[in-house]
C-alpha cells in the first residue's frame, strides 16, 4: 500500500519498506523450522533487474550487469538460513565506522554466533564465531608486509602471521591467496610442492574451497526451476525470487 510509505527524509525510512513485512516473515520462518549444519557459508547472489531502483547495483564483470544483490547464509544442503538485501550506504548506518558490506555480514552472523558453527566467507571475518575467509591485501589491521605486497613469493610458498587466535596466511599457486582464519592451527611456513612441481594446498585453503560453495549451490538450484518473469517493478522481481528460495528450502526440509 503506497499510502503507508514512511517519509523518505525520516531516519526510520527503509528502502525495503514495500516488501519488508513479507521479507521478514519468510526470513524468520527459514530459521524457525530448520537447524543448519555445522559448516556454513556467506556470499552474495544477484537478481537481474533493469528497471530504475536505488538498490540496483552495477557489476561490470558479471553477465547480469544491473542487479539486486542479496547476501545469504547457507549450509551444506544449500538451505538458505538467513538473508539480507544489500542496501548500500543507507542512513541507518551513516554514523557507524564500518562499510555497508561489513554491516551486512555482521547482521547475517548474529543468529549463529556462539553456538559452534564454522563460517566461510569472502573478504570479511567476524567475532564470536569460528571463521575462515579470504581478505584483500590492502585491508586495515593486517601485517604491513602483507598489505604492501612486499612478499615476493614463488609457487608453493606459504607465509604465516599469528596474533592471538587469528592466523593470516599468504599462499602462492598461480596467484597470491590471502586467508584469515581462527578455526585452523597455523600452518608451517616455507615452500611446499609435490614431486610434479605443483603447489600443495594448506588445510585452510582446502577447507575454504570445500565449504565456500554452499551459496553457489543454493543459487544454482534456485535458478534451475525459477518461476520469475520479466517485470519493471522491483518488488515483483524480488518477490518471485523469494518464492523460489522458499520452494527450495521446503524441498530440502522434506527430502
Amino acid at each position: 500500500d503506497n499510502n503507508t510509505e514512511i517519509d523518505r527524509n525520516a531516519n526510520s525510512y527503509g528502502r525495503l519498506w514495500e516488501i519488508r513485512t513479507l521479507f521478514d516473515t519468510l526470513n524468520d520462518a527459514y530459521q524457525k523450522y530448520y537447524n543448519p549444519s555445522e559448516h556454513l557459508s556467506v556470499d552474495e547472489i544477484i537478481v537481474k533487474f533493469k528497471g530504475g531502483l536505488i538498490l540496483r547495483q552495477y557489476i561490470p564483470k558479471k553477465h547480469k550487469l544491473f542487479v539486486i544483490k542479496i547476501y545469504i547464509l547457507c549450509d551444506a544442503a544449500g538451505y538458505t538460513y538467513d538473508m539480507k538485501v544489500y542496501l548500500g550506504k543507507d542512513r541507518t548506518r551513516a554514523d557507524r565506522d564500518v562499510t555497508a558490506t561489513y554491516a551486512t555480514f555482521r547482521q547475517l552472523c548474529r543468529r549463529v554466533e556462539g553456538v559452534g558453527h564454522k563460517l566461510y566467507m569472502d573478504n570479511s571475518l567476524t567475532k564470536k564465531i569460528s571463521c575462515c575467509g579470504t581478505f584483500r591485501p590492502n585491508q586495515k589491521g593486517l601485517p604491513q608486509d602483507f598489505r604492501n605486497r612486499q612478499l615476493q613469493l614463488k609457487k608453493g610458498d606459504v607465509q604465516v602471521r599469528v596474533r592471538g587466535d587469528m592466523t593470516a596466511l599468504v599462499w602462492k599457486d598461480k596467484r597470491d591467496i590471502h586467508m584469515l582464519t581462527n578455526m585452523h592451527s597455523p600452518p608451517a611456513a616455507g615452500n611446499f610442492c609435490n614431486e610434479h612441481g605443483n603447489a600443495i594446498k594448506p588445510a585452510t585453503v582446502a577447507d575454504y574451497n570445500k565449504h565456500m560453495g554452499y551459496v553457489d549451490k543454493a543459487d544454482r538450484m534456485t535458478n534451475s526451476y525459477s518461476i520469475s518473469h520479466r517485470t519493471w517493478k522491483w518488488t515483483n522481481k524480488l518477490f518471485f525470487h523469494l518464492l523460489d528460495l522458499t520452494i527450495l528450502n521446503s524441498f530440502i526440509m522434506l527430502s
Side-chain angles (χ1 to χ4, degrees):
D1 182 0
N2 289 339
N3 293 323
T4 64
E5 180 181 4
I6 301 173
D7 183 0
R8 297 193 176 212
N9 294 318
N11 289 331
S12 59
Y13 177 78
R15 294 171 178 171
L16 281 183
W17 71 271
E18 291 179 271
I19 202 169
R20 172 58 69 187
T21 300
L22 174 66
F23 187 90
D24 289 344
T25 299
L26 289 176
N27 212 17
D28 290 342
Y30 293 170
Q31 298 152 25
K32 182 178 179 180
Y33 300 107
Y34 186 81
N35 292 319
S37 60
E38 176 186 7
H39 297 277
L40 306 170
S41 71
V42 176
D43 206 354
E44 66 183 45
I45 61 172
I46 55 177
V47 180
K48 185 178 179 181
F49 182 73
K50 294 183 178 180
L53 175 65
I54 194 170
L55 304 181
R56 190 180 69 170
Q57 304 290 311
Y58 175 69
I59 307 179
K61 293 183 180 180
K62 300 284 188 180
H63 68 283
K64 301 176 181 178
L65 295 184
F66 292 99
V67 302
I68 300 172
K69 187 187 296 184
I70 308 174
Y71 285 97
I72 64 175
L73 175 69
C74 283
D75 76 344
Y79 185 95
T80 298
Y81 188 68
D82 203 351
M83 58 183 176
K84 191 168 183 63
V85 176
Y86 179 74
L87 300 175
K89 298 179 180 179
D90 63 26
R91 62 172 61 92
T92 60
R93 299 193 183 100
D95 58 344
R96 302 182 189 178
D97 188 25
V98 296
T99 65
T101 301
Y102 180 79
T104 301
F105 271 72
R106 287 289 298 161
Q107 283 289 314
L108 282 173
C109 296
R110 70 196 187 283
R111 299 180 193 256
V112 294
E113 288 184 347
V115 290
H117 291 289
K118 296 178 180 178
L119 190 63
Y120 296 82
M121 61 181 71
D122 280 331
N123 300 319
S124 182
L125 280 181
T126 188
K127 299 177 181 179
K128 298 182 182 179
I129 190 169
S130 298
C131 289
C132 175
T134 60
F135 67 88
R136 296 187 181 93
N138 60 350
Q139 286 183 224
K140 294 181 179 179
L142 296 174
Q144 196 64 30
D145 53 348
F146 280 20
R147 291 185 62 192
N148 294 338
R149 296 182 179 271
Q150 295 175 1
L151 302 174
Q152 301 296 321
L153 302 181
K154 298 180 295 183
K155 188 174 185 177
D157 280 352
V158 178
Q159 289 293 326
V160 182
R161 304 289 186 271
V162 178
R163 185 174 66 188
D165 63 350
M166 188 70 70
T167 299
L169 68 91
V170 182
W171 171 62
K172 179 66 175 286
D173 188 15
K174 294 181 180 179
R175 58 186 179 87
D176 290 356
I177 307 296
H178 298 76
M179 303 287 299
L180 277 172
T181 181
N182 63 1
M183 71 171 73
H184 298 90
S185 299
N191 184 272
F192 303 95
C193 292
N194 60 23
E195 63 273 16
H196 303 292
N198 297 319
I200 298 175
K201 291 180 183 177
T204 304
V205 178
D207 282 351
Y208 174 83
N209 291 341
K210 177 180 179 181
H211 299 293
M212 188 59 203
Y214 298 158
V215 173
D216 288 338
K217 177 181 180 180
D219 193 39
R220 186 169 59 252
M221 290 191 292
T222 300
N223 290 321
S224 295
Y225 298 96
S226 176
I227 59 176
S228 180
H229 64 277
R230 199 170 173 183
T231 175
W232 289 107
K233 190 169 178 59
W234 71 271
T235 48
N236 291 348
K237 193 71 173 181
L238 189 54
F239 166 80
F240 281 110
H241 194 82
L242 293 176
L243 190 55
D244 286 335
L245 283 177
T246 304
I247 292 170
L248 175 60
N249 278 357
S250 301
F251 171 77
I252 292 172
M253 289 177 63
L254 295 173
S255 60

